[in-house]
Amino acid sequence: MKVFAKSLFVAATVSIAVAFSGCASYVPLQGNNVSISNNVEVLGRVTVERETNKSGYTVLLEEALKKYPDADDIVNILVDGKKQFGKNRYVMSAVVVKYKN
């Protein structure tokens, strides 16, 4: 009987862990500040979370310029959808670059 109780406890614990591991989680991406070519310097990564109707390239670029005033552009843009409290949101991130020319 003790073996059954232990097995039931382990199964319940694993089930609860799996159920809670998927609750609104995402991993922010981090840049490694390595130049991608001879003409580009990678300044870092910027991440913004906004409602879907208040998001886009311009919003992400403005945030990048706040964090890196010398930035010229953003590349490798990633957009993830997230639903939080019944509202749809975007989590946008990009690599911020400065051109050397």
Side-chain angles (χ1 to χ4, degrees), residues 17-71:
V18 169
F20 285 113
S21 66
C23 295
S25 63
Y26 62 93
V27 178
L29 303 172
Q30 299 295 323
N32 58 8
N33 299 330
V34 176
S35 292
I36 54 177
S37 78
N38 292 336
N39 297 329
V40 177
E41 176 186 353
V42 175
L43 301 177
R45 178 172 289 278
V46 65
T47 302
V48 176
E49 182 176 334
R50 296 278 190 275
E51 292 181 14
T52 55
N53 62 346
K54 297 178 182 178
S55 61
Y57 174 85
T58 306
V59 172
L60 193 55
L61 181 61
E62 288 172 355
E63 193 68 28
L65 291 172
K66 286 180 192 174
K67 191 172 180 180
Y68 303 101
D70 294 335

Side-chain angles (χ1 to χ4, degrees), residues 2-22:
K2 288 183 180 183
V3 173
F4 176 74
K6 282 185 178 182
S7 298
L8 184 61
F9 175 76
V10 170
T13 304
V14 170
S15 297
I16 291 171
V18 169
F20 285 113
S21 66

